[in-house]
Amino acid sequence: MQQLIIAEKPSLARNIVAGIGTMKRCDGYFEGNGYLVTWAFGHLYSLCDIEDYTGPTASGRWSLENIPCFPNEFRFKMRSDKKTGQVDAGVKKQMEIITALCNRPDVEGVINAGDADREGEIIIRLCIKHALQSKKRLYRLWLPDQTPQTVAQALKELKEAASYDRLADEGFARTYIDWLYGVNLTRYATLKTGTLLRVGRVIVPIVKAIYDRDMAIRHFVPDTYFAMVSKEETDGHEIELVSKKRFKKEEKKKAEELCRKYNETGAVVTAVKNKKDTLKPGKLYSLSKLQNVLGKKYKMSMEDSLQLVQGLYEKGFLTYPRTNSEYLATAEKEKIAKIIENFASIGYPVTMKEDKTIFDDSKIESHSALTPTYKIPKKEHLSEEEFKVYQTVVRRFAAVFCSEPCVAQKTEITVSVGDLESFTLKGTVILQAGWTRFDDTATKNKLLPPLMKGQVINTAFAPKEKETSPPKHYTIETLNNYLKNPFRQEKSAAENEDDTEEYRAMFEGLELGTEATRTGIIENAIHSHYIALNKDVYTILPDGEYLIESLIRMGISMDKYQTSKLGQSLKKVYRGEIGVQDCIALAETEIAEVFKPKEEPPETDTDMGFFGDEAGVCPLCGQSVVRSKYGYRCTGYKDGCHFSVSASICGRVISLANVRLLLSSGKTAEIQGFISKNGKPFKARLCLQQGRAVFDFQTPQSSTLSGA
């Protein structure tokens, strides 16, 4: 009797074969030593389309006829060619091979060898579900890396497939709710605007984060202020003292007077502290922390870095990359000790450590931190980019397990200006390099002048005009940090600070996307021309602005709060606190709200209707005015008619109902919620004047017309 192993990809199948030993190559599978090994090509099945549940619409195009669609039971179909719509021939053939092997009489058990994550779990489960025609024992092969030794050991430690049911439940729940949001809201938003808008549970809050940041930068008005700064030499060393006190632009004289007082009082060194300290290295890498470093140092996009690290994993040089942890499991100590021994043999001064800052089971959800394996490549066998990635991981690993500590002298000098203000100067000098020889993100030396307690410091305080700075654009690092916990205040955190809160938030599902999906979603936003990545800086593009502003006008809230709420429900599925159906029901309730008719009075109505809806007759040429991409436009524009009404005026969406009133009676209702240039809310009617929509401010005494 034999065991059938179904790998997620051909490359994984080959590595499994290497761990088993000599096997015979057959058409679409390997055989030998009591095993059959075959493979998928990633996803062989995808969720059915809406029309597979409802049938085609009357027009054959997207329509409100069949949305929202909430299937009673989600169905899958074999992957099709996107251009022809036909089932992919290669997929069909491989699935026939998998089916034949699953049902061979000599196969007593089927082993799921998907990648060690949620997606890999359900990819192979779907293959088995569609292939297996009789009851057989099901197992899971869980591989933290793809070296032959790990494969051989994992085959001895197979678990029943049911042990991973909760992981599968979370994977399926995630797939279902992403489908519900994606197909229903993408179609709805596209029908509303007449433009294809990709609306997804995670892509929208990512684009919105970049949109909000760029709008804050665009509308930032710098504030001028005066700071008190002294930059004078004392014994040949320039010493800069910057007061924490700020003065408004009109308070320059006040600043000058206080500067004079500081200079008259004089500055004295009141304390000098020198302390030897042992500096700790940074933590091992999670995927996003590695991508942060590669993006900052090499301007490497998240997609490029993920492909490279995935390739190194498939070659057996790195452990599983899609991990959100920077810690190792205590059960891995023996394996890590062997890797350390291997690196020590080629000249790395590393030694086994069992610190809680390295091994901590409480901070591991599914996978440990990224590390090298015992299998060490030769430089000439890697591309230049692969070598950069591999070396980055190896250097951090070597720094963490370095046998030689990093010893530094920390100096803190306090300079006091009487009892008016004290200034603290800090510096660090590395006395013993230790792990800093490997990790080039280490603390840099900062020398301070050799000042002594009681020494008088020359000062020349003077007001220096400065401007407040706008927020900074998101970078690969800062966006990644935001997505891991969008509710944490942005800061430059020290690597060795207490990260308990960060891991708690992550395991509760507060993050936007996951380590496994985030890179692909960001790349999708780039390919959709919603955002741009230049070097390592993200910016919003016009199509991204249109997406977010259109969703705001439609009242579709896909913000971090809603996405995190769904993320938390997915984690509850993983923990067995709720079922898959509970998670689906939550998503369906949120989506159904979007489709509910909004019965608002014209004064507060913001519903713009759907693209192509008729609003009335053009007051200039008599042709139809219809809902367009950016508002309402006369269909006679091709003949030269320029009549239009903007979608938004003074920060207020103009509803279809109000435009219909405008065109039928010459006046809208008194619309509430306009915002003036100085930020004050006001209400007004729009009226027609010489073929233009203008404000009509009415009071009991007078009527004032103003251009809208």
Side-chain angles (χ1 to χ4, degrees):
M1 300 299 283
Q2 304 196 75
Q3 303 275 20
L4 170 64
I5 301 173
I6 306 176
E8 184 174 328
K9 301 170 192 167
S11 60
L12 176 55
R14 289 191 295 270
N15 288 335
I16 290 171
V17 168
I20 292 171
T22 305
M23 298 187 78
K24 178 185 173 184
R25 176 70 188 255
C26 305
D27 184 16
Y29 67 98
F30 294 89
E31 184 169 1
N33 291 317
Y35 291 99
L36 299 167
V37 180
T38 189
W39 55 86
F41 304 119
H43 290 275
L44 296 190
Y45 287 88
S46 59
L47 280 165
C48 291
D49 295 324
I50 286 179
E51 286 71 26
D52 294 314
Y53 299 103
T54 66
T57 60
S59 65
R61 297 190 295 270
W62 286 0
S63 162
L64 289 173
E65 291 172 34
N66 57 2
I67 56 172
C69 177
F70 301 141
N72 291 325
E73 183 179 353
F74 286 91
R75 303 200 304 264
F76 291 83
K77 60 184 178 182
M78 207 174 292
R79 197 176 75 199
S80 302
D81 184 281
K82 289 183 180 178
K83 292 182 180 178
T84 65
Q86 301 298 311
V87 173
D88 185 283
V91 168
K92 185 178 180 183
K93 179 185 176 184
Q94 193 61 25
M95 197 58 212
E96 287 172 351
I97 291 168
I98 292 171
T99 301
L101 294 173
C102 276
N103 296 293
R104 269 177 47 165
D106 62 337
V107 170
E108 63 176 357
V110 181
I111 301 170
N112 178 339
D115 272 356
D117 57 19
R118 299 165 190 83
E119 195 171 11
E121 182 67 31
I122 67 174
I123 283 173
I124 305 304
R125 284 196 179 216
L126 285 169
C127 290
I128 294 170
K129 178 183 176 182
H130 286 87
L132 196 58
Q133 295 161 2
S134 60
K135 193 170 182 180
K136 295 190 178 182
R137 292 194 72 176
L138 303 178
Y139 301 95
R140 184 60 158 106
L141 180 66
W142 192 264
L143 297 172
D145 65 61
Q146 294 188 19
T147 58
Q149 283 87 337
T150 297
V151 170
Q153 186 63 32
L155 284 169
K156 296 175 186 176
E157 300 170 351
L158 288 176
K159 289 185 179 180
E160 297 283 343
S163 302
Y164 295 87
D165 281 353
R166 285 185 182 173
L167 183 71
D169 285 346
E170 185 194 351
F172 281 117
R174 190 179 296 273
T175 300
Y176 298 152
I177 67 172
D178 284 347
W179 184 91
L180 287 167
Y181 274 96
V183 300
N184 284 304
L185 296 187
T186 292
R187 292 188 183 205
Y188 179 80
T190 299
L191 290 168
K192 289 282 277 185
T193 62
T195 303
L196 175 61
L197 296 181
R198 291 180 173 85
V199 182
R201 183 179 65 90
V202 180
I203 190 173
V204 169
I206 288 175
V207 176
K208 189 169 189 307
I210 296 168
Y211 169 87
D212 288 344
R213 177 61 57 86
D214 281 22
M215 290 305 106
I217 294 169
R218 188 179 299 175
H219 299 126
F220 179 79
V221 178
D223 182 25
T224 302
Y225 68 94
F226 285 99
M228 295 166 42
V229 180
S230 171
K231 195 181 282 188
E232 280 290 290
E233 281 194 5
T234 297
D235 292 342
H237 298 282
E238 186 177 73
I239 298 171
E240 184 177 31
L241 303 175
V242 181
S243 174
K244 293 177 183 176
K245 296 173 183 176
R246 287 186 173 189
F247 297 87
K248 295 177 183 177
K249 191 174 182 179
E250 61 272 18
E251 295 179 323
K252 185 177 181 181
K253 286 187 177 179
K254 189 176 177 182
E256 287 174 337
E257 176 59 29
L258 192 56
C259 284
R260 183 186 62 76
K261 192 172 182 181
Y262 271 45
N263 291 329
E264 287 177 355
T265 302
V268 177
V269 176
T270 52
V272 177
K273 296 179 183 176
N274 289 308
K275 177 188 173 186
K276 275 191 180 181
D277 199 4
T278 300
L279 302 184
K280 293 181 179 179
K283 292 180 285 231
L284 295 168
Y285 287 125
S286 63
L287 174 61
S288 58
K289 292 294 176 70
L290 175 62
Q291 288 177 313
N292 289 352
V293 171
L294 294 172
K296 193 171 185 178
K297 185 175 181 181
Y298 300 115
K299 311 305 176 192
M300 199 179 283
S301 74
M302 288 177 66
E303 182 183 38
D304 288 345
S305 59
L306 177 57
Q307 286 181 354
L308 289 163
V309 76
Q310 179 74 22
L312 290 165
Y313 160 68
E314 290 175 3
K315 291 175 182 178
F317 300 133
L318 294 180
T319 56
Y320 184 73
R322 296 169 194 259
T323 174
N324 58 8
S325 182
E326 300 157 279
Y327 294 85
L328 299 171
T330 52
E332 296 178 286
K333 288 180 179 178
E334 187 177 337
K335 182 186 81 171
I336 295 297
K338 289 178 181 177
I339 295 171
I340 287 170
E341 185 180 336
N342 209 29
F343 273 89
S345 69
I346 59 169
Y348 281 86
V350 287
T351 187
M352 184 63 181
K353 299 175 185 175
E354 299 190 13
D355 302 352
K356 187 78 171 175
T357 56
I358 303 172
F359 294 92
D360 190 343
D361 293 338
S362 70
K363 292 174 180 174
I364 299 171
E365 187 176 41
S366 299
H367 293 283
S368 296
L370 256 166
T371 70
T373 66
Y374 75 89
K375 190 177 175 183
I376 301 173
K378 292 182 179 179
K379 184 177 179 180
E380 57 268 24
H381 293 164
L382 300 179
S383 69
E384 184 180 344
E385 296 300 292
E386 283 179 321
F387 185 71
K388 287 177 183 175
V389 173
Y390 182 73
Q391 278 294 96
T392 302
V393 176
V394 167
R395 284 178 172 276
R396 178 55 63 92
F397 182 82
V400 168
F401 288 102
C402 183
S403 57
E404 197 179 278
C406 171
V407 181
Q409 178 171 286
K410 291 185 175 181
T411 301
E412 188 175 297
I413 299 174
T414 303
V415 176
S416 299
V417 179
D419 56 6
L420 297 174
E421 189 172 355
S422 291
F423 302 83
T424 302
L425 309 177
K426 293 182 179 180
T428 300
V429 178
I430 304 297
L431 302 177
Q432 179 177 299
W435 55 264
T436 63
R437 287 185 292 160
F438 303 110
D439 195 346
D440 53 12
T441 62
T443 305
K444 301 292 188 293
N445 284 5
K446 182 182 178 183
L447 293 170
L448 292 179
L451 302 178
M452 300 177 65
K453 186 176 179 180
Q455 187 171 354
V456 175
I457 304 298
N458 295 327
T459 61
F461 281 99
K464 185 174 182 180
E465 187 174 310
K466 293 189 175 186
E467 281 189 345
T468 53
S469 301
K472 292 182 179 179
H473 289 287
Y474 276 115
T475 64
I476 289 174
E477 180 179 16
T478 56
L479 182 65
N480 250 338
N481 291 341
Y482 168 79
L483 298 177
K484 283 175 81 72
N485 185 350
F487 304 99
R488 181 181 58 187
Q489 187 175 0
E490 187 175 321
K491 59 180 180 177
S492 297
E495 273 206 90
N496 289 300
E497 69 173 2
D498 184 4
D499 55 14
T500 303
E501 183 63 24
E502 179 182 333
Y503 277 85
R504 184 198 62 78
M506 195 160 53
F507 294 165
E508 283 186 6
L510 292 179
E511 61 184 341
L512 301 181
T514 66
E515 300 284 340
T517 63
R518 206 173 284 135
T519 298
I521 294 169
I522 291 173
E523 210 55 37
N524 187 15
I526 293 171
H527 291 156
S528 300
H529 305 292
Y530 294 150
I531 60 174
L533 177 63
N534 183 16
K535 294 185 178 177
D536 71 332
V537 175
Y538 291 107
T539 53
I540 197 73
L541 293 176
D543 285 355
E545 291 182 35
Y546 184 75
L547 168 72
I548 299 304
E549 290 168 3
S550 295
L551 294 178
I552 291 170
R553 286 195 289 268
M554 285 182 256
I556 296 178
S557 175
M558 295 289 294
D559 58 19
K560 63 184 182 181
Y561 299 98
Q562 185 176 6
T563 300
S564 289
K565 183 167 73 173
L566 288 162
Q568 290 175 76
S569 72
L570 287 167
K571 290 299 181 187
K572 288 179 181 178
V573 172
Y574 178 63
R575 295 193 297 267
E577 296 169 10
I578 63 173
V580 173
Q581 202 55 47
D582 298 314
C583 196
I584 292 170
L586 176 63
E588 288 178 348
T589 300
E590 297 279 359
I591 294 164
E593 280 296 316
V594 173
F595 287 85
K596 279 184 181 177
K598 311 291 191 297
E599 295 183 5
E600 293 265 354
E603 292 81 5
T604 56
D605 187 17
T606 58
D607 186 3
M608 292 179 62
F610 288 84
F611 183 82
D613 281 353
E614 288 203 16
V617 177
C618 176
L620 297 181
C621 72
Q623 297 191 61
S624 293
V625 174
V626 299
R627 165 84 157 76
S628 64
K629 181 176 179 179
Y630 294 105
Y632 310 88
R633 183 168 69 170
C634 176
T635 54
Y637 71 93
K638 292 181 181 177
D639 301 322
C641 183
H642 299 298
F643 179 80
S644 66
V645 179
S646 294
S648 178
I649 297 173
C650 289
R652 175 64 159 82
V653 174
I654 308 302
S655 70
L656 177 61
N658 269 307
V659 176
R660 283 174 173 165
L661 274 174
L662 178 71
L663 296 177
S664 62
S665 66
K667 236 175 221 190
T668 67
E670 189 175 45
I671 301 171
Q672 301 172 9
F674 292 112
I675 304 295
S676 68
K677 288 181 180 178
N678 60 10
K680 293 183 178 179
F682 68 93
K683 57 185 178 180
R685 298 177 188 271
L686 295 178
C687 70
L688 287 174
Q689 186 183 58
Q690 298 177 351
R692 290 177 61 237
V694 298
F695 283 122
D696 180 8
F697 299 96
Q698 286 192 343
T699 65
Q701 294 82 22
S702 64
S703 175
T704 306
L705 297 177
S706 175

